[in-house]
Amino acid sequence: MKVLFLVQKEQRAILDRLYDGIAEHCECDLRWLSSDEQANLRRYFREQVDVAKYDRILFFLRFKKEIRQASFIRSVPNLVILEHDAYQNYIPCKYTGKFSAHYRRMPWVRVISSGFMVSERLRQEGFDAVFVPKGYDQDLLHDLGRPRDIELAFVGSTGSVAYSGRKALLDELGQVENLLVTKTNSGEDYLNTLNRIRFFVSADVGMGEYMIKNFEAMACGCVLFAYDQGEEENRALGLVDMHNVVLYRDIPQLRSKLQVLRADAGLAERIAQQGRELARSSFGFSQIGARIVESMAAPLRSQEPAGWLDRLLSVMGR
């Protein structure tokens, strides 16, 4: 399968190993698009792409650029969209409902979403949605086997509107526990910091899926305290409370389980070990890349003739 894979040149998260994982499992033409190129996909395709050469065209681009170009994007054949932010479709933020509105204009396109329940909800709306979770860079992040001198911590961003629930929970926890909330540089600094933390507090409040931080912390041997995203999401990922992860729904529950683990170092070590093994076996970007390629390979829906969607929307009164 020959794949044209278009990604963002400027991206906060470093996902090179994910791209490598996809390229390992198909004939991949990976291209890094600048902000200007993403903003004018019609021109980029006209000047740079022969669509007939590819079995699949995979987008992993800025959603806010995509939604302004739906009339062109719906003309791209064999299109698959990889999306790590579609959870925003279902939470109060500036993109509430906008993913659904975008996909409604091209309902034949396959969407690979990183949330199990997000994928389920998209399918219920009639879209060709497939679940492949987020993961972690297995080449960079691992357990160094060092002593852990930070008991309780979170590493990452709390600034955006989408993270308002995260910030509120961490602020509340910080009032009653000695919690470190910090940021690091990517790479070795991040690896070394995760390897100093005994209990990593993930606070993906209201997001409906697990962010990359969860898999990174598990891979580095932290005991992961993860805000519980629900039974279906946990089952899809293999997360089992007090076995390979510690799940909580509020601060009192988190603190109660924290006290249990403070008193039972052996249990804490077993949870860390089981979490680390789960991450290694299931969530490395090499494995995630293989799953993405597998999800692309199944036959796509037939693209409807021009004007079909407009007629449908007219009948629906939209």
Side-chain angles (χ1 to χ4, degrees):
M1 183 169 63
K2 188 166 185 179
V3 176
L4 174 63
F5 187 14
L6 304 182
V7 305
Q8 304 174 40
K9 185 176 289 185
E10 302 91 8
Q11 183 161 279
R12 184 176 58 195
I14 299 175
L15 298 173
D16 298 41
R17 297 292 79 77
L18 175 61
Y19 306 155
D20 291 346
I22 292 170
E24 285 173 17
H25 298 93
C26 63
E27 186 181 349
C28 185
D29 180 358
L30 173 64
R31 303 192 193 180
W32 304 73
L33 270 60
S34 69
S35 179
D36 287 344
E37 288 169 330
Q38 290 179 69
N40 195 337
L41 291 171
R42 186 185 301 274
R43 181 179 64 193
Y44 181 82
F45 270 72
R46 183 177 65 247
E47 296 176 355
Q48 304 290 340
V49 178
D50 177 1
V51 297
K53 292 171 57 178
Y54 303 100
D55 301 298
R56 296 288 184 270
I57 296 174
L58 179 62
F59 280 12
F60 192 36
L61 303 173
R62 290 287 299 277
F63 180 69
K64 76 174 186 178
K65 305 268 190 186
E66 282 188 25
I67 56 177
R68 298 168 183 163
Q69 303 174 80
S71 60
F72 168 73
I73 293 172
R74 60 184 291 196
S75 73
V76 176
N78 300 313
L79 180 62
V80 179
I81 297 176
L82 177 61
E83 186 53 74
H84 279 184
D85 292 328
Y87 69 90
Q88 295 183 35
N89 194 54
Y90 302 111
I91 68 173
C93 69
K94 65 181 179 180
Y95 291 121
T96 305
K98 292 190 176 179
F99 288 84
S100 292
H102 183 55
Y103 301 147
R104 237 176 254 125
R105 301 193 66 184
M106 52 195 86
W108 51 84
V109 170
R110 176 161 301 144
V111 179
I112 301 176
S113 167
S114 55
F116 176 77
M117 287 307 299
V118 169
S119 301
E120 286 288 303
R121 294 178 74 171
L122 288 172
R123 278 196 294 274
Q124 289 168 10
E125 293 179 46
F127 304 119
D128 180 5
V130 180
F131 166 62
V132 178
K134 296 180 171 77
Y136 77 99
D137 183 342
Q138 72 282 341
D139 291 348
L140 172 65
L141 298 172
H142 51 277
D143 188 349
L144 298 172
R146 296 174 181 172
R148 296 181 182 269
D149 61 333
I150 301 172
E151 187 195 37
L152 190 66
F154 169 81
V155 184
S157 301
T158 59
S160 75
V161 173
Y163 295 155
S164 58
R166 171 187 288 179
K167 185 178 187 306
L169 188 143
L170 293 171
D171 287 347
E172 182 182 352
L173 181 60
Q175 294 175 6
V176 293
E177 295 286 353
N178 184 21
L179 173 70
L180 173 68
V181 176
T182 188
K183 293 183 179 180
T184 71
N185 296 320
S186 300
E188 292 294 317
D189 190 19
Y190 185 48
L191 168 67
N192 290 327
T193 300
L194 286 179
N195 271 273
R196 294 179 60 192
I197 297 168
R198 187 180 184 203
F199 302 122
F200 186 97
V201 179
S202 166
D204 300 330
V205 180
M207 295 182 182
E209 70 178 81
Y210 292 95
M211 302 294 110
I212 285 177
K213 297 286 179 192
N214 298 275
F215 309 112
E216 294 173 335
M218 284 197 294
C220 288
C222 306
V223 177
L224 174 65
F225 278 71
Y227 186 82
D228 189 352
Q229 303 298 335
E231 181 179 350
E232 295 89 348
E233 203 78 22
N234 298 332
R235 187 184 307 114
L237 294 170
L239 299 179
V240 180
D241 187 33
M242 302 302 284
H243 172 69
N244 52 28
V245 67
V246 181
L247 300 174
Y248 69 92
R249 283 294 180 93
D250 54 35
I251 296 297
Q253 188 178 41
L254 186 158
R255 296 188 74 200
S256 174
K257 292 182 177 181
L258 181 60
Q259 287 303 112
V260 169
L261 297 184
R262 281 170 171 162
D264 190 342
L267 176 58
E269 178 56 33
R270 289 193 295 275
I271 293 171
Q273 181 180 352
Q274 294 291 341
R276 184 177 63 237
E277 292 309 310
L278 177 64
R280 285 177 177 174
S281 65
S282 301
F283 301 120
F285 277 152
S286 180
Q287 294 138 311
I288 298 300
R291 290 180 62 176
I292 289 170
V293 172
E294 182 181 3
S295 298
M296 280 194 288
L300 303 176
R301 293 178 177 176
S302 297
Q303 186 165 339
E304 298 295 338
W308 171 86
L309 184 62
D310 295 329
R311 291 195 299 274
L312 175 61
L313 294 180
S314 176
V315 169
M316 296 171 65
R318 299 188 181 187

